[in-house]
Amino acid sequence: MLILGLETSCDETSAAVVEDGRHVHSNVVASQIDLHKQYGGVVPEVAARSHVEVILPVIHEALERAGTTWGDIDGIAVTAGPGLLGSLLIGTLTARTLSVVHQKPLYAINHVVAHTFANFLIDPQPQFPLLALSVSGGHSHLLLFKSPLEYELIGRTRDDAAGEAFDKVAKMMGLPYPGGPSVGKAALEGDEHKYTLPVAKLGDSLDFSFSGLKTAVLRTLQSEVGGDFRTPSTELPSRLSELQKNDMAASFQRTVCETLTGRLLQAYHQYRPRSVVIAGGVAANTRLREEVSRQLPVEMHYAPMAYCTDNGAMIAAMGYYLATANQTTDPLKLKTDPILAI
Ligand code: KG4
Ligand code: ZN
């Protein structure tokens, strides 16, 4: 079964053709990073306009690279939420229209859940029950899957998402957007034990909290430049040395990776799943992968970086399972929901 997956929830326009939820025939991603870099973050209006401009060429290229035509496609899966409303609407309106025009069944996908399905695009296939840590710019969730379509949220961030913390800390130090990769790069040159940063104490809960950590980074950097809490964060990049930035990047990254892995291990002991996976943009972080492999008592397999950040292939992969369960959505009724819950 060939599913066309469409993803436009944030700043990547992506279309992919995936067979049986696991064999990727094409995965085209048009990133808007260069457009948003100058603003230090995603500007929703700019993102939506860019999706409009590239979505049809991106779909065309995905079909072409897969060597397919519309006749070969069995269904269309599209991100219905959560995400930026304007961005989501471009994807859903396109998918609804194509579904009607080409008479293909339509599948509405929850973006956060779909991130986990990136791990079905590689071998070996994860086993159920499956524990997933899904961490990106908009969310940090622990999910427990009984089967591909039976899942529950067992932990979540109470404030900032892990990727959001990477992005904010990068901005404080004048490192380029997106913060995850640039903090990761700076961390390679730094001492990860230079600064001791606080970890939120949430008892037995499987939740996360990253906003206190972000504030602690700010206060530490302010004192490093000899200022107090009134020192504007905009002054920090020019007053910090390369060494201070690298050491903070490494110390911050270590703290986040240890926190995420600690919760994942706690959930593992609580639920005893057969497989554990990590997913979402932050799962592209090499330090996180090292920490998870070191601490978790199961053999870990990691999806390629390109399937961790936003992509159409993970949407198509989840679409396959909705297709086999016959969970279609009427193209005239599909709801776009920027705060779609799990
Ligand atoms: O999944 P994704 O592409 O989009 C959302 O659904 O949010 O994740 C993007 C987030 C950004 O916050 C970015 O800084 C972070 O993932 N990220 C990383 C890395 N690559 C991307 N965080 C840490 N290390 C990375 N290598
Ligand atoms: Zn995402």
Side-chain angles (χ1 to χ4, degrees), residues 9-12 111 115 135-139 162-164 166-167 178-181 184 253 280-286 308-310:
S9 67
C10 189
D11 59 346
E12 258 104 25
H111 177 89
H115 266 297
V135 271
S136 82
H139 68 275
E164 188 182 354
F166 268 97
D167 295 334
Q253 179 175 260
V282 182
N285 187 281
T286 315
C308 290
T309 47
D310 291 348

Side-chain angles (χ1 to χ4, degrees), residues 47-119:
R49 198 173 312 144
S50 174
H51 286 305
V52 177
E53 284 166 7
V54 304
I55 190 155
L56 290 177
V58 163
I59 293 171
H60 185 76
E61 199 177 327
L63 291 173
E64 200 169 80
R65 278 199 212 167
T68 49
T69 60
W70 276 106
D72 306 315
I73 299 295
D74 296 296
I76 302 171
V78 65
T79 301
L84 300 170
L85 180 60
S87 292
L88 287 166
L89 279 170
I90 309 304
T92 52
L93 285 170
T94 305
R96 292 167 65 187
T97 309
L98 291 172
S99 161
V100 172
V101 169
H102 296 288
Q103 302 199 329
K104 304 290 176 188
L106 183 63
Y107 306 102
I109 303 292
N110 182 313
H111 177 89
V112 172
V113 180
H115 266 297
T116 307
F117 287 77
N119 292 283

Side-chain angles (χ1 to χ4, degrees), residues 42 75 88 126 175 197 229 244 285 295-296 313:
V42 178
L88 287 166
L175 301 176
L197 299 162
F229 68 95
Q244 285 169 318
N285 187 281
Q295 288 203 39
L296 269 284

Side-chain angles (χ1 to χ4, degrees), residues 233-249:
S233 59
T234 46
E235 281 181 18
L236 294 174
S238 60
R239 291 171 62 181
L240 286 163
S241 69
E242 218 45 34
L243 184 66
Q244 285 169 318
K245 290 181 190 177
N246 294 343
D247 286 346
M248 181 52 87

Side-chain angles (χ1 to χ4, degrees), residues 289-307:
R289 292 176 177 212
E290 280 168 17
E291 190 69 26
V292 169
S293 292
R294 199 172 61 74
Q295 288 203 39
L296 269 284
V298 281
E299 199 182 329
M300 294 295 300
H301 302 277
Y302 300 102
M305 307 291 180
Y307 298 153

Side-chain angles (χ1 to χ4, degrees), residues 212-225:
L213 171 62
K214 180 190 63 188
T215 308
V217 169
L218 175 64
R219 297 287 175 257
T220 309
L221 294 177
Q222 285 166 328
S223 83
E224 283 293 289
V225 300

